[in-house]
Amino acid sequence: MSASGVAVLLSWLSCCGSALWRYYSNSPNYDIFSTRSTIKLEYEGTLFSEWSAPATCSIKNKRSPKTELRCSSPGIHAIKPIVLGPIVVLWIYDPENADPSELLWNANEPSLNSIVISKQLAALGQMPVIYTILKRKVYFPQERIKDGKWYISVPMTTNDVLKEVKGNPVAFQDCFIANSLFLLTSPMLTIPEIPGFLPISSPRGSQLIANWAACDPSFVVVVADMETFQTNDSFHTWTRIRVPPNILTEDERHNVSDVTLSRDGIFFLINGILYLKSYNTFTRLGSNANLPDGGIIGITSRRWCWINYLLKDKERRSDMAIWTENEVYLGYTLLKFVKIVTTEKLKGLLNMSPTATLTIHRVEYTGHPLELALLLNYCIICNTSKTIYLVIYNEDTIQWVFQDFALDVTIDTFLIPYFLYSAKPELLLWDKHRIYYYYHNFTDTGVLQTTTEFGNLSRLSQNSIIHNVLMDYYGNIVVKMENNVMFYFKLKVKDAIKLHLWTNSTVKSLVCFKPSGSMYLLYVFENGKIYPEDYPLKLEAQSITFKTKEKCPYMAFHNDIVHFSYLLDKGQNLSVWAQIVYPENIGLYIIVESYGPKILEMKNKIHYEIASGYCSKTMTITFSQNINYEAVDDYFKLQYENTGLLLVHVRPSELAKTCPISQKVFQISVGCDASKFIAVKGFTKKECLQHDFFYIIEQSYLRDRPSKPLRVKYNWDKYGCPLRVDFREKFRPLVQLYNDNGYVEDVEVNFIVWEIHGRDDYSFNNTMKKSGCLNEAQTWNSMIELNKHLPLEEVWGPENYKHCFSYAIGKPGDLSQPYEIINKSNYNHLVWPLDHSGMYVFRVKILDPNYSFCNLTTIFAIETFGVIPSPNAYTVAAFLFLLMLLFLSILILSYFHYMRIYRKQIYEPLHKSERRKKKN
């Protein structure tokens, strides 16, 4: 960039607000809800777009929050409001000519100068877009710039919260637009301050205690020696946390020793007892929550954010850890606490002497998303010295691993652990005066050195002691002393530099970092006021290293690792590259470290170039799988053994404090992607009347041949719209794979179908011989016979699939049988009976054992038509009998009728002639 005098400002005008909607009817107490009813809809809140309703219902004004609804068809109808994501409003501002509210990032409208700059840059082609860091999605402005502002609608998500505003490379007076990182999360409400409630604080004269949400560092709680403060926007705004009277004594209210933040509220540790301050209550936790009633010596929460992670055995991971001298508890959301271990149990697991004394020194979450570390005090005769051991616990596999770590210290030594952001476990420990580093899985250890005093930071800071240590995701580490002297170093670096004094020693302060990754200092004054101040760590470090002439050993380090987390299904591989550029004759290289189960093969390919005195090394790293899951003895066991989570760390071989971003840590999960699902093409829930109904299946059409017909309820929510198919048409389902982003691919591997209600009055057009089988193929009948103890949906699947295209697999048999396996290319179709129509509800299951770790299934429904149902035999017989009876009746009546006519024509004329003769 030529200059950095122009920046981007974001303002949330309508973000994260609450909303509700309701409906009314003219009928009292909603007694009448019919096709004649007028239903009044009302939406209350922001971000409203329009109402959604099925085609059988009409809405007076779809885009009005208050409108009327009528449904002409009876049944159940889904009505809902369509709500847009938060609207992010952006404009450009010049820091040298901006309003104070713009500099403080709390402006609701751009200043006149900002409007002019934004319009001028827009005329030159500037248009900001929002990129999401985790899922790499892009959101564009809804329209052209309006009144000096751009509007971008961004959906609210829980697994893609980190976003970045980027603009086009457009210059104005030799200035470009700076990119800007920000978090967009669901609202995390601060606890309101209630009149009459009392302050809660740490002991008088103690240092600040703080905790923040790992995946939302702007959500912070700070305990000072006069008040407790909370913020959800990095202290742009904040509230005091106070507690109701008559619950704690005066001494207890001013004796907070630790604090942890969670979605359940704020946990305070006071005199060995855990308390919870939620939005509405302040509660003492003990045996009522499966926790000790006293004796708790520490609580902690996660430091590093891993939004996506793979769990094999558990449904969720813990949010916090609580420990006493002899017990460890894990805390989950909704106030669930579980005791996971005691020191007596650990003695047995670690083969320690039962007479030894073992206590818990400290508990800390590691950089791994599923692991927890315990520092243990061990001694036989506990008079002068003890040994500190380290054990790591995996929450998913429930395994305890004893680490190659042993530290002999005096009996009164207390060390604080801090696990670094890396793949292999790497740890900082500190006492009051020194920092101890344990790099590369605890194999590279020592005391963090300084230019003088042999690493004793207290002697370099007027005998002050260490207050806290903070590391960011880029490897920068800051050590803050109680008198506000600060030291700086980087991950893997073994010496620190003393930074220039930034603030005086009397103010109590804390080092925090923003969602953008930049650090800031938080000051708490004696009058109860708080003031956050940005801290230019990079510039301050450069001003020191400029004097020491320290240089970075390389010129540039690049890579294409764009995600923090990758998920591989069966057969999928991952390739990434990293490149380092350095001066000739230094001999640098790229290190790839991995930590986790051996479930992937890793191959490296290096490309080397040299030109103009500089060397370039490019390493391509490929992670692959080579397991064949077909026809194995224990399919599920093999799957379990080859799934898991792997952390990978890519970095240069040498580092210095002057180097730019020099590391990339990411995770590779091998297992089922929960966002994957399959569907049959052509089936929806929108093209039919949305209602449930009943139908009858004759007993002769059912697989088990019951004694009476089966009455079935068609569940529209589950089955969707049935596809109407003429009985003369064969049908081949085209199965497609989807995920959260939409369509992925057509499924080309084998799958099976079955009618979920037990119908078997359908078949397949391909025979085993026509499909190329050399031995008899698996069929539903054969698999049911082999697995009589299992329900129908479990008798056949990828776990027991064997193909028929080899003489070595299976056995000879009748190859004229229907081949009941379908794929995209084998032209196998479903064939319908010709003597009746029916409703069929099929379930599809992927059969190929090498396709996915997920059990991929879906449902589709077929309704056949075109056949006149055959009449019942009794009905036909009765009809014929009645017809014959009618015919005989007509015949008999005709006989008598014609006899009368005959008599009238024959006999009556004779009598008439005789009478004439007599008269004559």
Side-chain angles (χ1 to χ4, degrees):
M1 293 184 179
S2 301
S4 58
V6 181
V8 173
L9 174 67
L10 291 85
S11 175
W12 285 264
L13 295 185
S14 54
C15 169
C16 320
S18 61
L20 56 90
W21 71 281
R22 59 182 72 88
Y23 56 89
Y24 304 99
S25 171
N26 293 330
S27 171
N29 302 320
Y30 300 90
D31 289 335
I32 301 175
F33 241 42
S34 69
T35 55
R36 296 179 60 253
S37 301
T38 300
I39 303 169
K40 298 176 182 179
L41 304 177
E42 183 177 302
Y43 178 88
E44 184 178 309
T46 59
L47 314 178
F48 176 79
S49 175
E50 62 180 31
W51 293 97
S52 171
T56 53
C57 298
S58 62
I59 297 178
K60 188 174 182 180
N61 184 354
K62 293 180 65 175
R63 297 189 178 277
S64 173
K66 294 183 178 181
T67 187
E68 294 180 357
L69 168 76
R70 290 178 180 270
C71 293
S72 58
S73 175
I76 298 174
H77 306 286
I79 313 295
K80 63 180 181 180
I82 298 176
V83 181
L84 295 176
I87 303 297
V88 180
V89 183
L90 303 99
W91 65 82
I92 300 167
Y93 77 101
D94 180 357
E96 303 301 325
N97 297 285
D99 281 356
S101 60
E102 291 179 315
L103 296 176
L104 294 174
W105 281 56
N106 56 17
N108 291 326
E109 292 292 333
S111 63
L112 180 60
N113 186 70
S114 298
I115 293 175
V116 173
I117 294 176
S118 299
K119 288 183 176 180
Q120 287 178 332
L121 280 162
L124 295 172
Q126 183 57 261
M127 184 182 70
V129 294
I130 294 179
Y131 289 81
T132 67
I133 302 299
L134 298 178
K135 293 196 172 183
R136 315 304 294 177
K137 293 185 177 181
V138 184
Y139 299 95
F140 297 90
Q142 297 175 342
E143 55 188 12
R144 296 173 65 87
I145 188 171
K146 183 179 181 182
D147 298 328
K149 295 175 289 187
W150 291 274
Y151 296 84
I152 301 180
S153 176
V154 183
M156 189 69 68
T157 60
T158 58
N159 56 0
D160 200 14
V161 297
L162 187 58
K163 298 171 174 62
E164 184 176 18
V165 180
K166 293 184 178 180
N168 295 329
V170 176
F172 177 72
Q173 296 181 356
D174 293 330
C175 293
F176 289 88
I177 308 301
N179 297 336
S180 179
L181 284 169
F182 68 98
L183 277 177
L184 186 60
T185 67
S186 56
M188 300 184 72
L189 302 178
T190 56
I191 298 173
E193 183 178 339
I194 301 176
F197 279 22
L198 303 175
I200 184 170
S201 67
S202 58
R204 192 66 184 172
S206 59
Q207 293 293 314
L208 301 180
I209 307 170
N211 188 258
W212 52 81
C215 293
D216 188 1
S218 61
F219 196 48
V220 190
V221 59
V222 174
V223 180
D225 61 358
M226 85 293 291
E227 289 276 4
T228 295
F229 308 93
Q230 185 186 11
T231 181
N232 58 6
D233 56 6
S234 299
F235 288 99
H236 286 293
T237 61
W238 47 271
T239 60
R240 293 181 178 88
I241 300 300
R242 295 195 169 189
V243 297
N246 304 322
I247 293 181
L248 298 175
T249 65
E250 183 74 13
D251 291 339
E252 288 173 333
R253 283 195 299 106
H254 299 294
N255 202 26
V256 175
S257 58
D258 212 342
V259 67
T260 290
L261 191 63
S262 82
R263 288 192 175 272
D264 290 323
I266 302 172
F267 293 92
F268 293 97
L269 183 59
I270 304 173
N271 294 343
I273 300 171
L274 196 63
Y275 294 85
L276 172 65
K277 179 68 172 92
S278 64
Y279 197 81
N280 298 314
T281 62
F282 182 71
T283 310
R284 173 175 173 166
L285 301 177
S287 55
N288 59 333
N290 196 34
L291 285 173
D293 289 314
I296 297 175
I297 59 176
I299 57 177
T300 189
S301 60
R302 298 183 183 275
R303 293 187 185 274
W304 304 109
C305 177
W306 292 103
I307 294 178
N308 300 315
Y309 47 87
L310 180 70
L311 288 169
K312 294 169 62 175
D313 295 321
K314 289 192 173 183
E315 296 181 358
R316 56 179 177 168
R317 63 174 188 171
S318 64
D319 300 318
M320 62 182 297
I322 306 103
W323 68 95
T324 66
E325 278 195 348
N326 302 299
E327 298 173 331
V328 178
Y329 297 79
L330 294 183
Y332 303 84
T333 53
L334 302 179
L335 297 182
K336 179 183 178 182
F337 298 95
V338 178
K339 181 166 67 175
I340 60 169
V341 77
T342 64
T343 50
E344 287 300 316
K345 182 179 179 180
L346 284 173
K347 283 183 184 180
L349 293 172
L350 305 177
N351 297 319
M352 291 181 172
S353 170
T355 60
T357 300
L358 184 69
T359 59
I360 297 169
H361 181 89
R362 182 86 180 194
V363 179
E364 188 73 19
Y365 286 99
T366 71
H368 192 285
L370 302 176
E371 289 187 348
L372 183 78
L374 273 64
L375 287 178
L376 303 173
N377 297 319
Y378 176 85
C379 58
I380 301 294
I381 302 174
C382 307
N383 293 328
T384 58
S385 65
K386 62 183 178 181
T387 303
I388 295 180
Y389 290 115
L390 179 65
V391 181
I392 290 182
Y393 172 70
N394 188 293
E395 289 191 50
D396 191 33
T397 61
I398 318 178
Q399 291 181 341
W400 295 90
V401 180
F402 190 68
Q403 302 297 311
D404 185 14
F405 180 98
L407 184 62
D408 295 322
V409 296
T410 58
I411 196 68
D412 59 346
T413 298
F414 186 78
L415 298 173
I416 299 176
Y418 190 106
F419 278 88
L420 304 176
Y421 184 63
S422 59
K424 292 185 175 181
E426 295 186 319
L427 173 68
L428 295 180
L429 285 175
W430 69 87
D431 54 22
K432 293 182 178 181
H433 315 293
R434 287 183 172 88
I435 301 284
Y436 306 89
Y437 61 82
Y438 293 83
Y439 295 150
H440 203 265
N441 204 11
F442 316 117
T443 59
D444 186 4
T445 67
V447 177
L448 186 71
Q449 294 299 308
T450 53
T451 54
T452 60
E453 303 298 343
F454 304 101
N456 190 319
L457 304 184
S458 293
R459 293 179 183 175
L460 295 172
S461 54
Q462 295 81 47
N463 296 319
S464 183
I465 62 176
I466 298 173
H467 176 205
N468 74 323
V469 177
L470 184 70
M471 175 185 172
D472 65 14
Y473 288 91
Y474 308 111
N476 300 302
I477 304 174
V478 173
V479 181
K480 180 195 166 293
M481 311 299 286
E482 288 190 353
N483 65 352
N484 296 326
V485 173
M486 292 189 289
F487 297 87
Y488 169 76
F489 65 106
K490 273 183 172 286
L491 178 67
K492 302 287 188 181
V493 174
K494 302 176 183 179
D495 63 290
I497 58 173
K498 182 180 178 181
L499 297 172
H500 292 129
L501 190 63
W502 188 262
T503 188
N504 66 66
S505 60
T506 60
V507 178
K508 292 183 179 178
S509 67
L510 189 73
V511 182
C512 308
F513 66 85
K514 294 182 177 181
S516 61
S518 60
M519 290 190 178
Y520 69 95
L521 293 174
L522 180 68
Y523 304 116
V524 178
F525 300 99
E526 291 295 331
N527 59 2
K529 299 296 184 181
I530 286 183
Y531 176 67
E533 182 181 40
D534 289 339
Y535 180 71
L537 176 63
K538 181 179 178 181
L539 294 176
E540 286 296 290
Q542 287 176 347
S543 67
I544 299 297
T545 55
F546 174 77
K547 296 178 182 179
T548 61
K549 306 298 182 184
E550 181 179 352
K551 291 185 178 180
C552 183
Y554 57 87
M555 309 300 295
F557 180 74
H558 302 292
N559 60 75
D560 72 335
I561 305 168
V562 296
H563 296 285
F564 294 100
S565 177
Y566 295 87
L567 180 55
L568 303 183
D569 210 335
K570 290 179 181 176
Q572 294 181 336
N573 301 328
L574 173 66
S575 291
V576 296
W577 60 261
Q579 182 186 66
I580 186 170
V581 180
Y582 56 92
E584 192 177 0
N585 299 324
I586 292 184
L588 299 184
Y589 53 93
I590 297 170
I591 294 178
V592 180
E593 299 172 331
S594 63
Y595 176 75
K598 307 299 181 183
I599 54 179
L600 292 174
E601 288 189 356
M602 185 174 68
K603 293 182 179 180
N604 300 333
K605 183 179 179 181
I606 299 176
H607 178 72
Y608 179 82
E609 291 183 358
I610 183 170
S612 303
Y614 291 95
C615 300
S616 170
K617 284 183 182 177
T618 303
M619 175 185 285
T620 302
I621 311 122
T622 301
F623 300 91
S624 60
Q625 310 171 65
N626 61 353
I627 305 297
N628 183 8
Y629 295 91
E630 186 173 341
V632 296
D633 293 333
D634 194 330
Y635 171 83
F636 295 110
K637 180 182 178 182
L638 186 64
Q639 275 199 148
Y640 184 87
E641 292 173 347
N642 289 279
T643 56
L645 188 149
L646 187 72
L647 287 184
V648 181
H649 192 168
V650 180
R651 62 178 179 85
S653 58
E654 292 185 20
L655 297 169
K657 294 182 286 294
T658 55
C659 292
I661 298 173
S662 56
Q663 67 165 1
K664 196 70 177 184
V665 180
F666 61 98
Q667 61 166 297
I668 305 174
S669 298
V670 179
C672 173
D673 182 355
S675 69
K676 281 187 175 181
F677 64 95
I678 58 172
V680 178
K681 185 179 180 180
F683 290 83
T684 69
K685 289 188 176 182
K686 299 180 180 179
E687 298 178 357
C688 64
L689 182 61
Q690 302 173 10
H691 71 289
D692 296 349
F693 57 89
F694 292 89
Y695 62 95
I696 302 296
I697 303 177
E698 295 293 335
Q699 58 265 42
S700 60
Y701 304 154
L702 295 170
R703 189 182 301 274
D704 296 333
R705 301 297 187 267
S707 59
K708 58 182 181 180
L710 178 66
R711 186 171 184 261
V712 175
K713 179 182 179 180
Y714 188 92
N715 190 321
W716 180 87
D717 283 335
K718 289 184 179 180
Y719 309 150
C721 296
L723 180 67
R724 303 196 73 231
V725 176
D726 192 289
F727 77 96
R728 294 165 295 185
E729 296 179 5
K730 296 179 293 185
F731 179 76
R732 180 167 65 92
L734 177 59
V735 181
Q736 297 179 322
L737 181 68
Y738 293 83
N739 61 19
D740 287 344
N741 297 322
Y743 170 81
V744 176
E745 63 181 9
D746 289 348
V747 176
E748 299 188 358
V749 301
N750 291 338
F751 61 88
I752 51 176
V753 299
W754 71 95
E755 213 283 333
I756 65 173
H757 298 119
R759 298 189 74 140
D760 66 349
D761 56 332
Y762 60 92
S763 187
F764 301 84
N765 69 313
N766 277 4
T767 63
M768 298 178 186
K769 183 176 182 180
K770 185 178 178 181
S771 298
C773 290
L774 301 178
N775 278 329
E776 184 175 318
Q778 293 173 323
T779 63
W780 276 106
N781 288 336
S782 66
M783 298 308 292
I784 291 172
E785 186 66 25
L786 289 173
N787 302 281
K788 293 181 179 179
H789 61 289
L790 296 176
L792 181 63
E793 60 270 15
E794 296 180 16
V795 301
W796 196 5
E799 66 275 11
N800 56 15
Y801 167 70
K802 295 180 181 179
H803 66 76
C804 62
F805 307 112
S806 171
Y807 289 113
I809 300 176
K811 59 183 180 180
D814 181 11
L815 301 186
S816 64
Q817 298 179 71
Y819 185 66
E820 299 182 357
I821 300 172
I822 308 174
N823 61 47
K824 187 179 178 182
S825 59
N826 69 356
Y827 299 104
N828 202 9
H829 293 71
L830 290 168
V831 179
W832 315 110
L834 300 178
D835 58 345
H836 62 271
S837 60
M839 180 71 73
Y840 300 82
V841 181
F842 289 101
R843 183 175 291 277
V844 178
K845 179 192 286 188
I846 299 298
L847 192 61
D848 192 321
N850 290 312
Y851 185 70
S852 177
F853 289 105
C854 305
N855 181 27
L856 296 173
T857 66
T858 190
I859 285 181
F860 68 96
I862 298 288
E863 182 184 7
T864 60
F865 69 94
V867 177
I868 300 175
S870 300
N872 186 280
Y874 296 105
T875 304
V876 173
F879 177 75
L880 290 176
F881 174 77
L882 291 174
L883 188 64
M884 293 177 64
L885 184 62
L886 178 63
F887 176 75
L888 290 174
S889 300
I890 293 174
L891 186 63
I892 293 171
L893 290 173
S894 299
Y895 171 77
F896 285 108
H897 177 69
Y898 282 107
M899 284 295 297
R900 289 181 61 192
I901 295 174
Y902 178 78
R903 290 180 59 189
K904 187 177 181 179
Q905 297 295 327
I906 298 297
Y907 292 100
E908 287 186 3
L910 291 176
H911 291 294
K912 287 181 179 181
S913 60
E914 290 178 358
R915 285 196 294 268
R916 288 193 192 104
K917 289 179 179 181
K918 288 179 180 181
K919 288 180 180 182
N920 293 332

